[in-house]
Amino acid sequence: MGKLNIFEISFGNGSGVYYPGNAVDGHVTVELTEPMKMRGIRLKFEGKAYVHWSETHSTGSGKNRRTTTRHYSASERYFDQEVLLFGIWPNQGSETKEIPLGRHTFPFQFILPLGLPSSFEAGTGYVRYTVSCNIDKPWKFDHRTKRPFTIVALLDLNQQPNCMQRLQATKQKHLCCLCCKSGPIEATFKIERQGFVPGEAIKLFAEISNGSNRKMSKSYVDLKMITTFRATTKCRTDVREVARVTRPPIEKHREDSWSGEELVVPPLPPSFLPGCNIIDIRYVLQLNVDPSGPGLDLEVPFEIIIGSIPLMSVVEMYPPMSPPPQIMDRMYAWGTVPTAPATEDLYPYPPPSGIPNLPPPSYGECITGRYKISEEGDNEHTRGKLEYAPVYPYYNWGHTPGALPEGGAKS
């Protein structure tokens, strides 16, 4: 550790979750075991989006075969602001000042712009917001610490057309058995509406008829997150399963019904990722009938919309509950939470909804997990939170966020 015992960034609200237009406030703590000379302490607020992937292409054949790797990328910057907490800027010279031993705190505040997209992390790209702090020591290695925070953009389902629309579709297919076709398998899939928020349970209704001579090993409904990354010259689409509900096998010439089984929407970013021009997110809820042996599934898909603010008609009919006190054990990703936090610390910025008496949401880590967020300028000596999952609103209808289902990796 040397002279520097503590060097960390803390947010005033404890959770590090904000909405566009909020003030990000907090303080930097520096604890020294002996005096330290430095040019200054600088704090940087940064918001940006970035996508990148590479592809290998081969041309020619035999001895003339050549393999090249092409890289595709794009970026957006939403804000980049640096403030001086102590000392002088680098362009003002190399004069140093000494901070005595002991603990020192430096408060900060930054007003977020409006129109920011929600935080998002994936292997191919991200929308990321960070606060980083540098202790500038001329002619020596700088000290650096970093902390990400979550922006939650508001996607109000009440402002989205067709969110109350009922969805229903029927599909049929024949399975080939050697040279002969067997009877068809047919499925009708229905859901009550198109728009949901994390925490809601989607009620599933389906009628499946197995007119074939083969057993169906299972039927299942899965929720897929379909993410499109837009580089300057090409697009890439990744598909990832984020929730699944399964029913038992269906014997040949038998039928099966889904009668309101529930798929709970886990903590996820809102549809479309509004405000970001290089990443787009869509959600597809799909009924799958899986034949045993060779053969492709019968699939009945619906695109649904996942928002940040629930439909008013749903809240009036089934009001969500206030978050339980123990929600803190699960919902906060950052360190230890005080045993008796104030309400404003637990739920610092309830989203403005216009819905009377709507309880504030809980906040849950995105079900897709944490990602390493080291970037250029970070090294093995960088302190802070360098693995991170964004945190999204999760309304309490008495359901618990599920784990990523088996087979839920991107395909």
Side-chain angles (χ1 to χ4, degrees):
M1 291 288 184
K3 299 179 182 179
L4 192 59
N5 189 36
I6 296 175
F7 184 29
E8 62 186 19
I9 298 167
S10 301
F11 295 119
N13 67 23
S15 68
V17 181
Y18 301 91
Y19 291 84
N22 287 159
V24 179
D25 59 353
H27 60 271
V28 176
T29 301
V30 178
E31 185 175 277
L32 302 173
T33 59
E34 56 184 275
M36 177 183 287
K37 290 184 178 180
M38 62 184 71
R39 178 160 46 189
I41 300 176
R42 302 191 308 275
L43 195 66
K44 184 177 183 179
F45 302 91
E46 190 172 21
K48 61 185 178 181
Y50 178 69
V51 301
H52 174 266
W53 73 91
S54 59
E55 297 178 4
T56 301
H57 302 270
S58 296
T59 57
S61 61
K63 292 183 179 180
N64 295 322
R65 186 177 183 84
R66 297 182 60 188
T67 300
T68 58
T69 300
R70 296 178 185 173
H71 294 270
Y72 301 92
S73 65
S75 62
E76 289 185 336
R77 189 167 293 276
Y78 306 116
F79 55 83
D80 185 353
Q81 182 168 327
E82 202 166 13
V83 297
L84 186 68
L85 300 180
F86 174 81
I88 61 173
W89 294 99
N91 60 8
Q92 293 178 328
S94 58
E95 176 188 351
T96 61
K97 295 188 176 183
E98 185 175 271
I99 294 184
L101 65 84
R103 178 172 294 196
H104 310 273
T105 58
F106 302 91
F108 63 80
Q109 184 179 80
F110 175 70
I111 305 299
L112 294 168
L114 297 173
L116 296 173
S118 286
S119 298
F120 174 72
E121 292 286 338
T124 305
Y126 57 77
V127 176
R128 185 177 298 164
Y129 302 96
T130 58
V131 182
S132 58
C133 190
N134 264 44
I135 296 178
D136 181 0
K137 303 181 69 178
W139 317 115
K140 293 185 178 181
F141 289 109
D142 291 352
H143 296 287
R144 178 175 169 86
T145 189
K146 180 177 180 180
R147 180 146 182 198
F149 59 95
T150 295
I151 298 294
V152 177
L154 298 179
L155 182 67
D156 187 348
L157 295 181
N158 300 282
Q159 304 300 318
Q160 297 294 313
N162 304 322
C163 274
M164 285 297 297
Q165 178 182 343
R166 293 172 63 92
L167 300 179
Q168 177 173 332
T170 300
K171 286 197 174 181
Q172 184 185 93
K173 74 179 298 183
H174 287 81
L175 299 176
C176 292
C177 181
L178 297 178
C179 298
C180 303
K181 284 186 177 180
S182 65
I185 55 174
E186 183 176 282
T188 298
F189 185 32
K190 298 181 286 187
I191 58 175
E192 296 173 322
R193 52 193 156 83
Q194 190 177 12
F196 303 88
V197 294
E200 279 193 87
I202 306 174
K203 293 185 181 298
L204 310 170
F205 300 91
E207 299 292 335
I208 303 169
S209 174
N210 179 13
S212 76
N213 296 322
R214 287 167 54 185
K215 175 182 177 180
M216 300 296 108
S217 62
K218 62 179 176 293
S219 66
Y220 64 96
V221 175
D222 62 352
L223 177 62
K224 295 183 176 72
M225 180 168 66
I226 301 174
T227 309
T228 301
F229 302 93
R230 298 190 179 102
T232 51
T233 59
K234 194 172 184 179
C235 292
R236 166 176 168 164
T237 298
D238 290 351
V239 180
R240 185 165 190 164
E241 185 184 67
V242 293
R244 178 188 286 200
V245 179
T246 303
R247 278 193 57 77
I250 309 170
E251 299 295 334
K252 59 184 180 181
H253 305 297
R254 296 292 181 89
E255 298 179 345
D256 188 43
S257 296
W258 290 68
S259 304
E261 284 85 347
E262 296 182 342
L263 183 146
V264 180
V265 180
L268 290 167
S271 292
F272 319 128
L273 207 62
C276 180
N277 297 307
I278 60 175
I279 302 174
D280 179 75
I281 298 175
R282 307 281 168 145
Y283 293 97
V284 170
L285 187 74
Q286 181 170 290
L287 171 66
N288 307 268
V289 183
D290 182 12
S292 58
L296 299 176
D297 288 6
L298 171 63
E299 300 173 344
V300 189
F302 295 139
E303 181 172 352
I304 66 170
I305 298 173
I306 294 180
S308 310
I309 295 177
L311 288 161
M312 183 179 295
S313 58
V314 175
V315 172
E316 290 172 349
M317 193 177 303
Y318 308 106
M321 298 173 284
S322 295
Q326 62 269 29
I327 205 73
M328 294 302 293
D329 296 337
R330 178 170 182 138
M331 293 298 174
Y332 287 145
W334 308 126
T336 302
V337 178
T339 54
T343 302
E344 59 269 22
D345 293 329
L346 281 170
Y347 315 108
Y349 299 114
S353 66
I355 301 178
N357 303 317
L358 176 65
S362 307
Y363 294 95
E365 277 194 3
C366 184
I367 198 169
T368 54
R370 297 187 180 192
Y371 287 83
K372 292 183 179 179
I373 62 168
S374 296
E375 300 173 293
E376 185 178 355
D378 297 328
N379 56 41
E380 66 273 18
H381 302 297
T382 301
R383 304 187 185 197
K385 305 290 184 181
L386 301 180
E387 286 194 356
Y388 168 66
V391 182
Y392 300 116
Y394 187 93
Y395 289 88
N396 180 23
W397 267 281
H399 308 294
T400 302
L404 186 68
E406 184 179 354
K410 76 179 181 182
S411 56

